Amino acid sequence: MSTPQYFKFSEDIVDILVAKTQSQNRHFFRLLVAYYLSKVSSMMRCNIETRDRGVIPVNTYVLNLMPSGAGKGFSTNIMEEDIIDGFRLRFLNHVLPGESNAELLQIASRRQQINPNLSSDEAMAEVQKEYDSLGTLAFSFDSGTAPAVKQMRLKLLMSNAGSMNLELDEVGSNLTSNVEMLNTFLELYDVGKVKQKLTKNTSENKRGEELMGKTPTNLMLFGTPSKLLDGSKTEEEFKQMLETGYARRTLFGYSNVLGEHKNQTAEELYDALTSTNIVKDTVRISQIIANLADRNKFNTVLTLSKADTIHLLNYKITCEKLAFTLKAHEDIKKAELSHRYYKALKLAGAYAFVEGSKDINRMHLDSAIQLVEDSGEHFNRIIMKEGSYARLARYVADVGKEVTQVDLLEELPFYRGSESQKKDMLSLAIAWGYKNNIIIRKSYVDEIEFLSGEALKETNLDKIQVAYSNEITENFEGATTKFSRLHELVNAPGYHYTAHNFINKYRSSEKAIPGFNLLILDIDGGCSLASAKELLSEYKVLFATTKRHTAEHNRFRIIFPMSHYLKLKPRDYSKFMENVFNWLPFEADTATKDIARKWMSNVGEYYYNDGDLIDATLFIPQTKKAIEQEQKILNAQDMSNMERWFIDRIEVGNRATMLIRYGFMLMDSGYPIDAITNKLVAFNEQTNDPISQEEIHTKIIRSIDKKLIQKENKE
């Protein structure tokens, strides 16, 4: 549907709940209302006659997860006491007694036919005694056992009225103790039937007559996300329940933050809570629902026209096509998506019943589909919820200080288990952070492990940080600029510039403010400007010549905008730069590792190269990526930096190209053709899948030789 379309009667109730609770989470209230409208419909034994599935009951299962303080208890009380209490009283005092008496007479008559020795009064007395022994019909209940559910179901069968309505609060705390009962509810959802349990027949415990029939069930589970999705046994049990059938049967609501509240004065709040219109609407809606408890409306059978059935089937086909596109491991999502049409049909039945319609029309279907689609989005949030390891990573990044294992145990309820389990969780947290721009560092003092973290911010190329001054140490003015305009500073006469800002604008390591997104290198020999451009052609970078640059002795500056904005202390910054130096394919001035390093501008040549931002996370000390990078360099210690640079970039399909590029680098470094040939042959043998000697000599060396001749002719 192009625009959201919700059931108006439901929206009127949602408006009341929003006004009284002052919570703006309408999806939570829509699900709550959907449950109660289905509860009212199923208590009156409303059914749907379908053209493909026969007769099915109207009923709804709901899972609503909200943080504490979101208004779950308050809104539920409003529904119970102000909206449906009139219906409850009329149903229990008028509809139920009348329908149950009629059904008990039918049961007594059947038994008398089976046993002619029984008089009609004796048969009725026997049935009445059995019915009374089952206890009072519970309008709703918050816990129970599977045997109790089956006993209540027998009561409903003998009444031929009412439904079972389980309303389980704090589902995270109560889930595991109600698994058996919830498994029974799983079986009852579709048509209200469940297999009878076989028990031993004794004189004290006689197996009674099995009554055939359907008993609709409604289920409302609500609580806080943190309790249910706790990353341990409860969440595991919940995921198993989704897998075994609750995913395709349930409407979902999920939020881990409180909804926004209106910014209003106490007087405005008082007026909203005591609004005459809200009171009138509550009375009006309560009366409409109370009037549904009428025996003339009992056992309503709703129908669908052929056109509306086709409309629903089109929705079913659409959902199944989308489910087919999901991956094989997404079986829970497939089940939920492919069965949305069935949940929508049952909910549309509730909408039609409370509206007094005999048919389910397209408006009812579209309103139900809208809510089911919203539910699907919330279900996907639950399925894709970050694991405990992700929450651990975020905690370490957000806490703002170094933490120990003791801190983790005291602050994080989910950080539990054996030492190996906690170690595995921490490893997963580091690995998760690795791919989600969260850096977690480990350090040790007196054999105590300290963890620190940082959520990295991606660099905005329009907000490159610099500081500049026409003095050497003082008056360094902090500024941001577009990277594309950085040459205006680098090439301006008489200025000094830095990658960091400083307290009181005074340039020193002690006053450096952590935070930079430029990586600046000085090249004073060992690599020509042309070679540097070739080697770094994959990166976004600014090359700028320095004051001492000549055609014979190239001296230049390389300025990278980094992938992320980093905050490093002076000691960590020095180590960061050392990691960069080790990574480079050529030598750079190692004096640039000082956090307060300044560079002098120069009116010279400059060149921009477009490409990828350099991955700053490769060089952050004491991190997983940096350790992996160091190990990679260590494993290639028998190679030169340039050889390692090229071998890292060799892939299937580009081997010849990389060998030619490597040969050109050797040529620019002054190697004769014989030396280049020997180095290429040796380098080729170090690759995982070397090319043939013939190809090296007939293609690669020939290309390099041609370029060497061209170079000599120019000179």
Side-chain angles (χ1 to χ4, degrees):
M1 291 170 284
S2 57
T3 56
Q5 178 176 325
Y6 299 102
F7 185 49
K8 185 180 183 307
F9 186 73
S10 170
E11 289 298 283
D12 290 344
I13 303 176
V14 170
D15 289 339
I16 293 171
L17 297 176
V18 167
K20 288 196 172 186
T21 64
Q22 291 296 291
S23 171
Q24 304 302 310
N25 194 323
R26 296 184 71 87
H27 180 71
F28 173 83
F29 295 139
R30 286 177 184 131
L31 291 186
L32 187 68
V33 172
Y35 167 79
Y36 278 104
L37 295 185
S38 293
K39 178 178 176 177
V40 164
S41 303
S42 61
M43 292 296 280
M44 293 296 293
R45 292 294 175 92
C46 176
N47 292 286
I48 304 170
E49 185 176 0
T50 66
R51 296 172 182 247
D52 57 335
R53 301 180 67 108
V55 177
I56 62 172
V58 169
N59 63 310
T60 294
Y61 287 9
V62 168
L63 171 67
N64 241 333
L65 299 177
M66 290 288 289
S68 180
K72 296 188 296 291
F74 189 12
S75 56
T76 301
N77 287 338
I78 293 170
M79 291 300 302
E80 293 278 4
E81 297 173 7
D82 298 340
I83 302 297
I84 71 161
D85 193 54
F87 171 86
R88 182 183 66 84
L89 292 173
R90 287 192 184 186
F91 177 82
L92 294 177
N93 294 329
H94 300 287
V95 177
L96 180 63
E99 294 297 326
S100 62
N101 284 338
E103 182 65 18
L104 293 177
L105 284 171
Q106 292 290 330
I107 296 172
S109 177
R110 289 197 300 271
R111 291 187 181 181
Q112 188 182 15
Q113 291 174 7
I114 296 171
N115 186 2
N117 294 327
L118 280 177
S119 67
S120 59
D121 290 341
E122 289 173 335
M124 186 61 191
E126 181 182 281
V127 171
Q128 187 69 53
K129 181 180 179 182
E130 183 180 341
Y131 179 74
D132 292 340
S133 70
L134 295 173
T136 303
L137 179 70
F139 194 73
S140 61
F141 50 96
D142 62 4
S143 60
T145 63
V149 167
K150 292 184 178 182
Q151 185 182 57
M152 178 60 67
R153 183 170 183 273
L154 181 57
K155 181 83 174 181
L156 293 172
L157 288 170
M158 295 186 75
S159 303
N160 195 30
S163 61
M164 280 190 289
N165 309 301
L166 172 58
E167 298 163 9
L168 186 61
D169 195 4
E170 294 303 337
V171 60
S173 301
N174 298 312
L175 181 73
T176 55
S177 60
N178 287 280
V179 168
E180 185 183 16
M181 181 175 60
L182 290 170
N183 287 337
T184 303
F185 264 65
L186 193 67
E187 192 177 349
L188 285 165
Y189 172 81
D190 291 332
V191 295
K193 288 185 176 182
V194 66
K195 297 294 183 182
Q196 185 178 21
K197 184 177 180 180
L198 182 63
T199 58
K200 185 178 180 180
N201 190 52
T202 65
S203 57
E204 292 80 17
N205 184 28
K206 291 190 176 182
R207 196 160 54 242
E209 173 191 0
E210 182 178 0
L211 297 178
M212 304 303 293
K214 300 176 181 180
T215 51
T217 54
N218 295 285
L219 175 64
M220 180 168 65
L221 308 172
F222 56 101
T224 57
S226 58
K227 285 288 188 180
L228 180 62
L229 308 174
D230 62 353
S232 61
K233 183 180 178 182
T234 301
E235 182 171 352
E236 183 180 342
E237 191 80 55
F238 170 63
K239 293 291 178 67
Q240 288 178 358
M241 288 176 58
L242 292 179
E243 193 169 352
T244 54
Y246 271 100
R248 69 179 180 86
R249 291 171 168 87
T250 308
L251 298 177
F252 296 91
Y254 170 73
S255 177
N256 54 9
V257 294
L258 288 172
E260 294 183 4
H261 283 68
K262 292 182 180 178
N263 186 16
Q264 53 190 347
T265 65
E267 185 175 353
E268 290 170 336
L269 178 59
Y270 175 82
D271 290 340
L273 294 174
T274 59
S275 169
T276 304
N277 289 336
I278 295 298
V279 174
K280 287 181 178 178
D281 285 344
T282 302
V283 172
R284 174 180 64 83
I285 289 170
S286 175
Q287 188 61 52
I288 290 172
I289 293 177
N291 290 340
L292 296 173
D294 184 336
R295 290 190 68 187
N296 292 323
K297 298 176 181 179
F298 188 80
N299 208 22
T300 296
V301 179
L302 302 168
T303 58
L304 287 89
S305 68
K306 178 181 177 180
D308 290 328
T309 301
I310 291 173
H311 180 64
L312 179 64
L313 291 175
N314 278 328
Y315 176 59
K316 177 179 184 289
I317 291 168
T318 300
C319 290
E320 288 174 345
K321 285 181 178 178
L322 289 172
F324 182 75
T325 65
L326 296 176
K327 306 296 182 184
H329 67 275
E330 298 178 299
D331 51 340
I332 298 179
K333 294 175 71 173
K334 284 186 177 185
E336 190 279 329
L337 181 53
S338 59
H339 286 83
R340 287 183 187 179
Y341 82 97
Y342 195 52
K343 291 186 279 191
L345 174 60
K346 284 176 172 274
L347 182 57
Y351 289 164
F353 178 75
V354 297
E355 198 175 54
S357 174
K358 290 292 184 181
D359 301 313
I360 297 175
N361 59 39
R362 183 161 181 166
M363 182 273 292
H364 300 134
L365 289 172
D366 284 347
S367 298
I369 288 170
Q370 180 67 63
L371 188 56
V372 169
E373 285 295 299
D374 293 348
S375 160
E377 292 181 13
H378 284 253
F379 171 76
N380 288 332
R381 291 182 204 169
I382 293 173
I383 292 298
M384 301 303 291
K385 181 198 73 72
E386 294 177 343
S388 299
Y389 52 85
R391 283 181 277 170
L392 173 58
R394 292 195 185 280
Y395 169 80
V396 175
D398 296 340
V399 71
K401 63 179 182 178
E402 289 188 325
V403 293
T404 65
Q405 291 289 329
V406 174
D407 297 317
L408 299 181
L409 284 170
E410 290 180 347
E411 296 294 330
L412 305 177
F414 57 83
Y415 192 68
R416 296 291 183 268
S418 65
E419 288 300 313
S420 63
Q421 288 173 321
K422 288 182 288 187
K423 184 178 179 180
D424 288 344
M425 188 186 296
L426 182 56
S427 296
L428 289 172
I430 294 171
W432 183 87
Y434 184 97
K435 291 188 174 182
N436 290 274
N437 297 333
I438 291 180
I439 298 298
I440 297 177
R441 307 181 189 91
K442 287 183 180 181
S443 59
Y444 296 87
V445 177
D446 295 332
E447 299 183 355
I448 298 174
E449 181 183 59
F450 287 85
L451 301 169
S452 61
E454 179 184 359
L456 301 183
K457 182 172 66 175
E458 292 186 356
T459 293
N460 183 341
L461 289 172
D462 290 338
K463 294 183 178 180
I464 296 298
Q465 176 183 286
V466 293
Y468 61 93
S469 175
N470 54 14
E471 301 178 44
I472 294 177
T473 56
E474 297 181 339
N475 297 320
F476 270 80
E477 190 72 36
T480 58
T481 184
K482 293 181 178 181
F483 181 71
S484 60
R485 296 187 59 190
L486 193 58
H487 66 279
E488 296 176 15
L489 172 61
V490 172
N491 267 38
Y495 277 91
H496 304 276
Y497 59 93
T498 67
H500 284 80
N501 290 339
F502 301 93
I503 298 172
N504 298 327
K505 304 179 184 179
Y506 188 87
R507 186 179 64 84
S508 71
S509 297
E510 294 76 21
K511 291 185 178 291
I513 300 172
F516 68 107
N517 54 13
L518 279 183
L519 174 58
I520 307 176
L521 303 169
D522 274 344
I523 310 301
D524 291 331
C527 183
S528 67
L529 179 56
S531 294
K533 288 180 182 178
E534 174 65 25
L535 288 165
L536 301 175
S537 61
E538 63 192 276
Y539 296 106
K540 182 177 285 293
V541 61
L542 168 61
F543 298 95
T545 58
T546 61
K547 186 177 181 180
R548 296 170 55 213
H549 174 77
T550 65
E552 294 78 21
H553 301 287
N554 291 181
R555 291 179 173 85
F556 53 94
R557 197 152 290 140
I558 302 174
I559 306 176
F560 295 95
M562 302 191 309
S563 60
H564 296 85
Y565 183 83
L566 302 184
K567 296 179 180 179
L568 299 178
K569 297 176 181 178
R571 181 184 61 187
D572 290 333
Y573 180 81
S574 295
K575 179 60 179 172
F576 174 90
M577 292 302 299
E578 288 174 8
N579 290 340
V580 173
F581 299 148
N582 291 332
W583 167 80
L584 285 169
F586 44 75
E587 290 186 2
D589 182 1
T590 57
T592 57
K593 70 177 184 178
D594 181 7
I595 196 171
R597 172 76 177 190
K598 63 92 178 171
W599 290 269
M600 191 170 185
S601 60
N602 175 60
V603 181
E605 303 171 24
Y606 68 88
Y607 312 90
Y608 282 100
N609 184 67
D610 194 21
D612 298 328
L613 299 186
I614 191 170
D615 186 358
T617 63
L618 289 173
F619 314 115
I620 302 173
Q622 300 171 332
T623 62
K624 182 179 177 65
K625 278 190 178 181
I627 292 170
E628 288 178 353
Q629 183 68 21
E630 289 171 6
Q631 187 61 48
K632 184 186 294 185
I633 293 171
L634 186 63
N635 293 339
Q637 59 184 342
D638 294 336
M639 300 181 188
S640 67
N641 279 10
M642 191 174 293
E643 287 175 331
R644 173 181 49 77
W645 180 271
F646 279 104
I647 209 162
D648 280 349
R649 286 157 175 76
I650 287 181
E651 300 173 353
V652 175
N654 77 345
R655 288 169 298 174
T657 301
M658 297 307 293
L659 284 170
I660 290 173
R661 287 183 62 190
Y662 178 45
F664 288 162
M665 294 301 101
L666 294 172
M667 182 188 71
D668 287 340
S669 299
Y671 284 87
I673 191 65
D674 290 344
I676 293 174
T677 302
N678 292 334
K679 280 187 167 290
L680 283 178
V681 170
F683 176 73
N684 181 53
E685 292 301 321
Q686 296 181 77
T687 63
N688 290 330
D689 189 13
I691 64 177
S692 68
Q693 293 280 337
E694 181 182 0
E695 187 174 355
I696 290 178
H697 288 282
T698 58
K699 294 183 180 180
I700 295 172
I701 298 301
R702 184 176 296 175
S703 299
I704 296 170
D705 197 29
K706 285 181 180 179
K707 190 167 184 178
L708 188 59
I709 292 171
Q710 292 172 358
K711 180 181 179 184
E712 289 172 350
N713 290 337
K714 286 183 180 180
E715 294 174 352

